[in-house]
Amino acid sequence: MQEETILKKYFGYSSFRNGQKEIIQHILNNEDCLGIMPTGAGKSICYQIPAIMLSGITIVISPLISLMKDQVDSLNNMGIPATCINSTLSDSEYLQTIKNIQYDIYKIIYVAPERLLSENFLSLLDFINVSMVAIDEAHCVSQWGHDFRPSYREIPNVISNFKNRPTVVAFTATATELVKNDIINLLKLQNPYTLTTGFDRKNLYFSVQTPKNKLEFLLDFLDKHQNISGIIYCSTRKNVDNLFEKLLANNYNVSKYHAGMSEKKRNISQEDFVYDRTEIMIATNAFGMGIDKSNVRFVIHYNMPQDLESYYQEAGRAGRDGDNAECILLFSRQDIITNKFLIEQSIDTNHQSEYQKLNEIIDYCNTSQCLRKYILQYFGENPVFENCEFCSNCNSSIEITDITIDSKKILSCIKRMHERFGSGLVTDVLKGSKSEKIKSLKFDSLSTYGIMKEYSKDTIRDLIAFLIAENYVKTSGDKYPILKLTEQANNVLFSNQKVTIKKKIEKIIKPDIQKVTKNPKENLNFNPDLFEILRKYRKDIAKQNNIPPFIVFADISLKQMSTYYPTTVDNMLKINGVGELKMKKYGNEFLEIIKKFVKENNIIED
């Protein structure tokens, strides 16, 4: 059976996404592979289709129980026998699962890295034919990644104990060059075929906002985006608890998740969200990695994360189904202070590296460039576009202001302070502070002393942050970075190069995120009444089968049904996500609903 046939039969898609077929073919040629593909690019299909085609069993090493459960439910729902081994299994369930594995019942086995190392599981490997080992979230092996897990370092030792070494494949959504090399070396991949499909998520609308009142901004956003799923990330447990109570008081259907809750409460909260019993999840970064919920329509960072890798990974949990979604970062100076405190409190981390990463995401929040381009360049790509037309910086009416004079004042002050101090002291000198430190250093005698006294400290700090973001100033050092001038700064000071800042003054109406497919310019004019009927029926079906609604059909599938009104089996099979097995299982009931709607509303099927 060919790869395309399996893709359509089980997964309901007529063609592969970028990079999927190439990886599948290399796996079928028994080659190790490393796939660096953004969330929503379909990494799991890259190993699931070969798993169906290969003669033996595929073991998938995954770090989170939630991911295993969602993946196993989805596979079994499509008729692909799969199971998982993790700490949630009772003794009797574990023994039955082991027995089924020995009788060759499953094609795919998900296992947590800690369970992989258990003596019982290692003994089991001697008696089964393992064709492939797939390692998900492979960045966890690297201390330079954003979620290092020591147990991942033991995976190569387990693989080396196989009588016949299986094909080893690894996948991650985000990886710098350093992390990529770590994955290859530490997992001991053998001459791997490596594919980076690109980090661009065209269906995600990126936005950085600096509201005076974050709660008011959030309540206004939620009021305009009702009856859809979303995640709100906070930097601390306290922030999660406070925001949870405030949204409850405003009658929002919310869950919360952080490490301070009991495991039972976290599991209940997570299941409520995944099964669409609650619409909004408020969480710390303890929540989300491996969550397979495809219909998350927005991710809001209520506080700025500590680095761009974490931000892109967390933001990428929106729009996994290819439908449009919003990723909003709410930025404030207090977030910088909080993140510096969290870095100082962390144990066994490279503080210098963490501060460098923090400065990079601060620059992202301050840039006037295209946000998408900024992210892609961070991950080593060189996008050809200047404006993506699908982020808050590009999708705004811009007022260009010449700030050359103010910039010269700041740059000159840094130079006269011999490039040995941070933004706080530079700000105080420009403001004309009478502090003892300034007097003792004789900075009150500098020509730049008090030269910006009419400005507020926040305004001066914002200007300095902008000059850093735009590479006129670079920072050196960790906790208290020192400001140093770049060649570009010298051009401003000595060659009359102008400095301009773009200010967003009025938003242009952007495409409706509820009516856009993975291509932001390809509108689906779906019927919202039919979509809502199908969505409610999907929830009923999911409840009857005890599975998350998105496993029945993704939102994008329901929107296509509500656009093209399929009333025959052949036309229903043309809908993305409707494969032969799902058609037999659920399709006829959905067909009857559509037929009834078409008849009652005198609609002519395309």
Side-chain angles (χ1 to χ4, degrees), residues 303-317:
N303 307 110
M304 181 187 69
Q306 289 183 23
D307 58 77
L308 267 173
E309 288 157 86
S310 298
Y311 173 67
Y312 202 51
Q313 183 90 357
E314 290 158 11
R317 284 157 197 158

Side-chain angles (χ1 to χ4, degrees), residues 181-199:
N181 291 330
D182 259 3
I183 291 171
I184 293 171
N185 295 327
L186 296 172
L187 292 179
K188 297 182 180 178
L189 302 181
Q190 297 182 359
N191 300 314
Y193 170 72
T194 302
L195 179 72
T196 301
T197 59
F199 294 97

Side-chain angles (χ1 to χ4, degrees), residues 318-483:
R320 291 172 64 99
D321 54 6
D323 203 356
N324 245 38
E326 290 199 70
C327 305
I328 302 173
L329 196 164
L330 303 183
F331 175 62
S332 70
R333 295 201 166 277
Q334 182 60 42
D335 296 335
I336 301 174
I337 297 168
T338 301
N339 279 321
K340 285 185 175 180
F341 173 78
L342 293 173
I343 290 171
E344 285 301 303
Q345 297 302 306
S346 60
I347 303 172
D348 298 329
T349 60
N350 184 326
H351 285 187
Q352 181 180 356
S353 171
E354 296 305 309
Y355 279 119
Q356 181 181 338
K357 289 179 178 181
L358 177 61
N359 288 332
E360 285 162 349
I361 194 167
I362 292 170
D363 290 350
Y364 170 79
C365 293
N366 283 294
T367 187
S368 61
Q369 297 178 33
C370 166
L371 295 176
R372 186 181 309 280
K373 184 173 183 178
Y374 193 100
I375 291 170
L376 296 179
Q377 287 177 330
Y378 175 80
F379 287 109
E381 294 190 11
N382 293 302
V384 295
F385 58 82
E386 282 299 319
N387 298 311
C388 71
E389 299 180 2
F390 209 59
C391 75
S392 60
N393 281 6
C394 294
N395 193 43
S396 298
S397 181
I398 298 294
E399 181 183 81
I400 298 176
T401 304
D402 189 323
I403 59 166
T404 306
I405 294 175
D406 287 336
S407 298
K408 281 185 174 182
K409 291 175 181 178
I410 293 169
L411 299 175
S412 179
C413 189
I414 294 170
K415 192 171 187 67
R416 281 172 167 75
M417 292 171 70
H418 305 293
E419 302 175 57
R420 291 173 47 210
F421 298 93
S423 61
L425 198 61
V426 171
T427 299
D428 285 345
V429 172
L430 289 163
K431 183 71 178 164
S433 169
K434 293 180 170 53
S435 72
E436 288 301 319
K437 184 172 185 179
I438 286 177
K439 290 179 182 178
S440 66
L441 292 167
K442 298 183 179 179
F443 286 158
D444 54 346
S445 64
L446 295 178
S447 60
T448 52
Y449 176 75
I451 200 170
M452 298 180 75
K453 60 185 177 183
E454 73 276 15
Y455 291 80
S456 69
K457 282 190 175 184
D458 283 345
T459 298
I460 298 172
R461 289 193 189 104
D462 285 343
L463 287 168
I464 293 173
F466 172 79
L467 292 172
I468 294 170
E470 300 304 310
N471 199 36
Y472 294 98
V473 177
K474 63 182 179 181
T475 57
S476 173
D478 303 335
K479 187 176 181 181
Y480 302 108
I482 294 167
L483 304 183

Side-chain angles (χ1 to χ4, degrees), residues 64 146-147 149 232-236 240 257-259 283-289 301 305-307 310 314 317 339 342:
L64 285 185
H146 58 272
D147 196 35
R149 307 234 174 159
I232 303 170
Y233 281 107
C234 298
S235 57
T236 66
V240 169
Y257 189 107
H258 58 66
T284 61
N285 60 7
F287 174 81
M289 191 173 73
H301 281 79
Q306 289 183 23
D307 58 77
S310 298
E314 290 158 11
R317 284 157 197 158
N339 279 321
L342 293 173

Side-chain angles (χ1 to χ4, degrees), residues 77 275 277 536-549 552 585-586 589:
N77 192 55
Y275 283 75
R277 292 190 284 267
K536 287 179 179 177
Y537 182 70
R538 178 185 65 177
K539 192 170 185 177
D540 292 340
I541 290 290
K543 189 174 182 179
Q544 292 169 21
N545 290 272
N546 195 31
I547 56 175
V552 179
K585 203 164 189 177
Y586 312 117
E589 289 87 348

